[in-house]
Amino acid sequence: MNILYLINYLILSVFATLFIVEVGIALLSLLKYRNYRDEIRKFLLPIWEVNGTFAAFYLVNFEVTYPTLLNAVGQLYVAPLLIAAIFFILRSIFLVYSEYMNSPQKENLYMDIYALSTLALTLIAISVFDSGISGIGVSLQANLADFLVLLFNPFNVLMLIGVFLIAIFVVSSCFKVGRMHEFGILPLALAFVLMGIAIWAYLPLVFANLAANAYLLAFPAILGIIAAIMQRNMSRYANHLTLFWLFVSINVFGAIEYPYVFGDINILNYVAAPAISSAILWISTIGGGLLIIALSYLIYLSYLKRENASY
């Protein structure tokens, strides 16, 4: 596997892990914010800016890793990404507003707007990512895109449902939501069935990779089962293992997808020239390492230290 592809996907997996957690929080906020207000705010407020930081870091790394692909991607996805940026701004603004409200009614209203903005952002962001995987809704050669096809094709719908189910599994583990933990691995299993059908039907080359390297699924599958059991038993450490499982699973998908983008195009055709690869590798590794150290310390201060103090 190309080392620049690996580094870029590792950065993406950190962002995607945090983002899926926030998707679950948005769903929980819409349904039961009052019941889980303290847990949501304790978890969400320290990391919402970190999500944006990793998103920016990923985009910068993508630009230097695949410089010849950047122009085409920018033209194909400029409209949905600009719309997504609007929802990103709304999400951030109303989350901040909710922090300074003395009125519970206004706080609930602002959190509803935050949640809806986050889910709209998710719809667009995942649709763009799925289009980049499958090529559905865009033509790389002609630099043309059909926004409605990009959003509402069957592959994207199946993948979106899968992402929401995974987000539900993750948030139920992190917050021990009502009786949702009793469902255990069912949301996770359904998510993988739907995603598997989508890959089989629309990504034959990636499915061939999956069939030839099925052993790659063993580790995340075992982690997922253990996390579901711990969640069902209301284990103190279920949330930690669930987040680690999510991070690992995203990277395994990246390994299975490699080297295809847009359905059947080899991503190695767009990787930066060997002459600058070493510099990109060092800068990405050092920058990513500093971000991960900062994030780890934030997680320790915001979550682990508080949890340990409460026991």
Side-chain angles (χ1 to χ4, degrees):
M1 183 180 295
N2 182 275
I3 188 65
L4 293 183
Y5 173 90
L6 177 62
I7 294 294
N8 186 256
Y9 221 96
L10 283 170
I11 297 169
L12 173 64
S13 64
V14 175
F15 165 70
T17 298
L18 296 172
F19 186 68
I20 289 175
V21 172
E22 194 167 345
V23 173
I25 290 174
L27 291 169
L28 184 61
S29 295
L30 280 178
L31 297 174
K32 295 192 174 188
Y33 177 69
R34 292 183 180 180
N35 299 60
Y36 295 94
R37 177 190 179 278
D38 292 341
E39 291 89 342
I40 287 173
R41 302 195 76 79
K42 181 181 74 173
F43 201 99
L44 182 60
L45 292 175
I47 70 164
W48 71 274
E49 289 183 287
V50 177
N51 288 9
T53 302
F54 265 98
F57 183 46
Y58 171 72
L59 291 175
V60 171
N61 185 265
F62 182 90
E63 179 180 355
V64 297
T65 302
Y66 309 112
T68 57
L69 187 60
L70 185 66
N71 182 55
V73 169
Q75 292 185 52
L76 289 172
Y77 298 119
V78 62
L81 289 178
L82 285 174
I83 296 171
I86 294 172
F87 286 114
F88 180 83
I89 293 169
L90 288 174
R91 153 212 180 260
S92 303
I93 288 174
F94 282 96
L95 179 60
V96 172
Y97 283 172
S98 71
E99 175 69 5
Y100 296 99
M101 288 299 105
N102 294 323
S103 165
Q105 291 77 18
K106 287 187 177 180
E107 181 182 323
N108 291 340
L109 173 62
Y110 289 161
M111 284 301 294
D112 284 344
I113 298 174
Y114 153 80
L116 291 171
S117 301
T118 299
L119 295 178
L121 169 63
T122 302
L123 171 63
I124 298 172
I126 298 298
S127 298
V128 168
F129 181 73
D130 288 345
S131 175
I133 296 171
S134 66
I136 299 174
V138 298
S139 171
L140 192 62
Q141 292 75 18
N143 273 342
L144 295 175
D146 188 321
F147 191 33
L148 291 179
V149 173
L150 184 148
L151 285 175
F152 299 113
N153 65 84
F155 174 78
N156 188 49
V157 171
L158 289 171
M159 295 294 283
L160 272 170
I161 295 172
V163 168
F164 282 123
L165 286 170
I166 290 172
I168 289 170
F169 172 77
V170 170
V171 80
S172 64
S173 177
C174 290
F175 299 140
K176 301 177 177 59
V177 180
R179 300 182 62 183
M180 284 175 60
H181 64 278
E182 295 181 6
F183 291 100
I185 204 168
L186 288 179
L188 201 55
L190 182 56
F192 278 109
V193 168
L194 294 175
M195 290 178 165
I197 292 172
I199 293 170
W200 169 77
Y202 295 96
L203 299 177
L205 295 178
V206 176
F207 188 78
N209 280 350
L210 176 60
N213 301 280
Y215 66 90
L216 291 174
L217 298 178
F219 186 46
I222 292 170
L223 283 179
I225 292 170
I226 295 173
I229 293 172
M230 292 175 66
Q231 181 189 129
R232 188 177 179 85
N233 294 331
M234 304 290 282
S235 169
R236 172 186 174 187
Y237 299 104
N239 57 340
H240 304 151
L241 184 61
T242 299
L243 294 177
F244 180 65
W245 162 81
L246 182 56
F247 173 77
V248 169
S249 298
I250 294 169
N251 280 287
V252 168
F253 180 79
I256 292 170
E257 180 193 1
Y258 180 82
Y260 301 111
V261 291
F262 296 101
D264 58 0
I265 295 176
N266 193 323
I267 190 65
L268 298 181
N269 295 334
Y270 301 96
V271 174
I276 61 171
S277 294
S278 179
I280 294 172
L281 178 61
W282 277 107
I283 293 171
S284 299
T285 302
I286 294 171
L290 291 173
L291 273 177
I292 290 172
I293 290 171
L295 176 62
S296 299
Y297 188 59
L298 176 65
I299 290 172
Y300 170 73
L301 291 177
S302 301
Y303 308 124
L304 300 181
K305 191 173 182 180
R306 292 181 185 179
E307 283 189 12
N308 291 334
S310 64
Y311 278 87

